[in-house]
Amino acid sequence: MTATDEPTLAELQEAAASQQTAAAAAVGSAYISACPGAGKTHVVATRHLQSPAQPLRSGRALISFTRVARDQMARRCREAGRSDLVLAPHFIGTFDSFLWDFLAKPLRPADPAPRLLESWAGVKAQVKLDRTVSLGQMQLTLNITGDSVQECVAWDLLDSDTQRMLNSSNRSRNQWEQAVLAARNAWCRRGYYTGHEARYLALRNMRSAEKAQWLLPPLKSRFAEVIVDEAQDCSGADLAILELLHDAGLPLVLVGDPDQAIYAWRGAEPKALQDFARRISAREIPLTGNRRSTPVICRLASTLRAGPRPPDIAVVRRDLIPVAVFPTRFAPKGGQHLHATSANTVIEAFRDHAQQHGIAADQCLLTAHKYATLPGASRERPGANPLTTLAWAHSVVHTPGADANHLTRACATAARALIGYWFPQEASSPEGICADLGIPVSRLHRTAFAFLYDLPTPHPGWSSDVWQAMKAWPPLPGAAPQGGKGRLAGTPTIPRATADIGMRTAIVHQVKGDEADAVLLFLPDADTVQRWTTCDPSTDEQLRIWYVAVTRARRLAALAVPEDQAAALTRFLAAREVPHQIR
């Protein structure tokens, strides 16, 4: 094919638009497989915006796994002048909130009022045997076998600190599991639940003919269809619930990309979604036009994808910036990785390379699979002592341009500390306490932010400073401190300080749905190239994680690899006809 035979961008865009139109207009249950940058949020919103202003029969449920996606869909409706599509009988929300609102909460006792928590960290939930651990540290999972649904502790998913503590315990795992379930059940009796309990209750309710007869008629009369965005993130329990809804007569539209399934720890597997999609619909509607990345990045991404499919079609960009491979001498701390062919760090080398292509530092993204590989503020460590968690929160509010989600969690951390001192006898969540006092939660969070920001920099004796600040800080109305109750004791693990590099940093699981002009993916492991060239992405989640990372890039994708692997990687890229250069 000569250059004149190649389709123009206008022709490619028209073809991609036709795919979107077909997906938005599909009737009945369907599976929409969307490549990165295919505009699936646009398709979902367009499908919803086609609803009549006065619904003839019922509404539509749009559900996703993140609040960001939820807010994007709602914003699209409002921007189009269709605020009615955000209100009942329609529903736009997260998967957890959908299960809770329609399949779990309706059959919960009204007293005490049932509340859905983001996690057990929102309340003072503890498990006590010969050790004391936070209930939030003991992640539960569901095992589904036929008609049986069993809850158990996901032992292999516990953080290292919790595992070490349990290994030193004189109690068996079975005893700990029974204690965890007993503690959890006690909190449920007080009206508190998390997303795990919402799934467990939804499955049990839907599998009970007596309970389902109360839940299904309102659902079927309210919703003409349910659209599941990011369907590749569905766990086995999620798919089991969706299958029950489909079998009950609710049409399902699944929108997702199995190549971006990166939550195997939650039970999300690409093959499970594809098998389920085939059961509910014989139709797969592909979206293969990539409106985000260049042809080079599309070709790079295809090397990390299962099956012999051709690269996705870049329909907006024609830049041909080669993939940049940076031979790197990795250090234990992310900010100190050295560029093997210069005297700079690899971060500086990447920034300079991006600038040569007209890409500013604030349009660059640094990402990796693990926090330890990245520069930036310390991460929030599950299971850390409360003082260490507060020190992390302090580092967040003092970090310029800190992530909004991190700021929210930082304020919640400080709020829990203050509430623990002001209301030592209350075990409920800060939100529950605020509701009882008639105080907006936003007031508590503003107080918590100011308190946190005013604290001195963490140091080994920080506990005393925090305690003095807690006693001096103006309390909420109704506060009743009791001596030393609520004091955060111990020595904090002090977050390491890093220089402002002017670029965003986040692990891959945090950048899903994000994009940047230039993306640098850190690949520090010694088996990186062997894994890339020999493993199957359909069974190896690590490759799917890398796939998500490189497809965040709009113009430039860069890879930092151990210096002794750079040559092997470039040979592989050359064999796959991916334009590249060693930097």
Side-chain angles (χ1 to χ4, degrees), residues 396-432:
V396 170
V397 300
H398 284 275
T399 298
D403 179 82
N405 290 329
H406 287 177
L407 283 170
T408 298
R409 292 204 297 271
C411 287
T413 295
R416 288 195 298 270
L418 290 171
I419 287 292
Y421 170 61
W422 289 334
F423 303 93
Q425 299 304 319
E426 293 286 345
S428 62
S429 66
E431 292 78 10

Side-chain angles (χ1 to χ4, degrees), residues 335-353:
Q336 303 304 313
H337 303 320
L338 297 178
H339 185 212
T341 59
S342 74
N344 297 327
T345 66
V346 72
I347 295 171
E348 293 169 330
F350 169 65
R351 182 187 59 204
D352 294 344
H353 181 62

Side-chain angles (χ1 to χ4, degrees), residues 520-533:
L520 173 62
L521 171 61
F522 292 95
L523 299 169
D525 296 333
D527 65 344
T528 290
V529 174
Q530 180 182 7
R531 194 166 200 161
W532 195 324
T533 58

Side-chain angles (χ1 to χ4, degrees), residues 97-336:
S97 63
F98 177 82
L99 297 183
W100 176 247
D101 288 348
F102 299 107
L103 300 178
K105 183 179 177 181
L107 298 182
R108 291 295 86 200
D111 186 22
R115 293 170 175 164
L116 180 66
L117 300 172
E118 185 172 331
S119 73
W120 288 117
V123 294
K124 300 176 185 176
Q126 295 182 324
V127 184
K128 296 182 179 180
L129 284 179
D130 62 338
R131 305 285 190 278
T132 299
V133 298
S134 166
L135 181 57
Q137 294 173 240
M138 307 295 287
Q139 183 173 323
L140 292 170
T141 189
L142 296 176
N143 287 334
I144 304 173
T145 306
D147 293 332
S148 173
V149 182
Q150 299 292 329
E151 291 183 286
C152 60
V153 173
W155 298 105
D156 58 329
L157 299 181
L158 302 185
D159 65 84
S160 57
D161 291 341
T162 303
Q163 289 183 5
R164 281 194 295 270
M165 186 278 299
L166 293 178
N167 289 338
S168 69
S169 168
N170 293 323
R171 303 301 180 92
S172 68
R173 284 194 169 187
N174 182 62
Q175 288 174 309
W176 273 106
E177 186 164 86
Q178 295 306 311
V180 168
L181 293 173
R184 189 282 310 275
N185 292 342
W187 278 96
C188 289
R189 288 192 293 271
R190 300 175 66 171
Y192 292 95
Y193 304 84
T194 69
H196 168 83
E197 286 72 43
R199 282 164 173 75
Y200 181 59
L201 291 170
L203 265 176
R204 295 195 60 177
N205 291 343
M206 289 289 289
R207 288 183 168 185
S208 165
E210 180 181 356
K211 294 178 180 179
Q213 71 176 348
W214 290 98
L215 295 172
L216 287 174
L219 267 178
K220 294 170 67 176
S221 66
R222 176 168 176 172
F223 298 123
E225 72 177 14
V226 175
I227 301 179
V228 183
D229 187 27
E230 301 287 4
Q232 75 275 357
D233 293 340
C234 287
S235 66
D238 297 337
L239 293 178
I241 294 168
L242 291 175
E243 185 169 25
L244 290 167
L245 291 176
H246 176 263
D247 292 346
L250 264 176
L252 299 179
V253 176
L254 307 177
V255 186
D257 179 4
D259 296 311
Q260 295 189 63
I262 60 172
Y263 293 101
W265 62 269
R266 209 167 59 189
E269 295 293 342
K271 188 176 185 303
L273 170 64
Q274 293 168 320
D275 290 345
F276 177 67
R278 282 190 286 269
R279 285 201 300 275
I280 69 166
S281 173
R283 294 177 304 147
E284 177 178 343
I285 304 172
L287 298 177
T288 58
N290 188 320
R291 296 175 177 272
R292 174 187 302 152
S293 303
T294 68
V296 172
I297 296 168
C298 289
R299 184 166 288 278
L300 172 67
S302 71
T303 69
L304 290 165
R305 198 164 59 181
R309 291 170 292 163
D312 296 320
I313 302 168
V315 300
V316 172
R317 303 182 189 280
R318 283 289 177 91
D319 309 45
L320 295 177
I321 304 175
V323 173
V325 178
F326 289 90
T328 304
R329 295 169 187 162
F330 285 95
K333 293 186 177 181
Q336 303 304 313

Side-chain angles (χ1 to χ4, degrees), residues 473-558:
W473 205 260
L476 293 181
Q482 295 182 10
K485 291 186 176 180
R487 178 170 184 171
L488 305 183
T491 301
T493 299
I494 301 172
R496 56 184 171 85
T498 56
D500 182 9
I501 57 177
M503 291 180 274
R504 289 187 293 134
T505 65
I507 61 169
V508 178
H509 288 84
Q510 294 173 333
V511 302
K512 203 172 181 183
D514 198 356
E515 58 185 58
D517 280 348
V519 173
L520 173 62
L521 171 61
F522 292 95
L523 299 169
D525 296 333
D527 65 344
T528 290
V529 174
Q530 180 182 7
R531 194 166 200 161
W532 195 324
T533 58
T534 63
C535 292
D536 182 0
S538 63
T539 56
D540 190 339
E541 186 187 42
Q542 184 69 64
L543 297 181
R544 301 196 297 272
I545 289 173
W546 298 348
Y547 175 84
V548 169
V550 300
T551 56
R552 300 310 94 194
R554 289 189 286 255
R555 297 182 55 210
L556 167 64

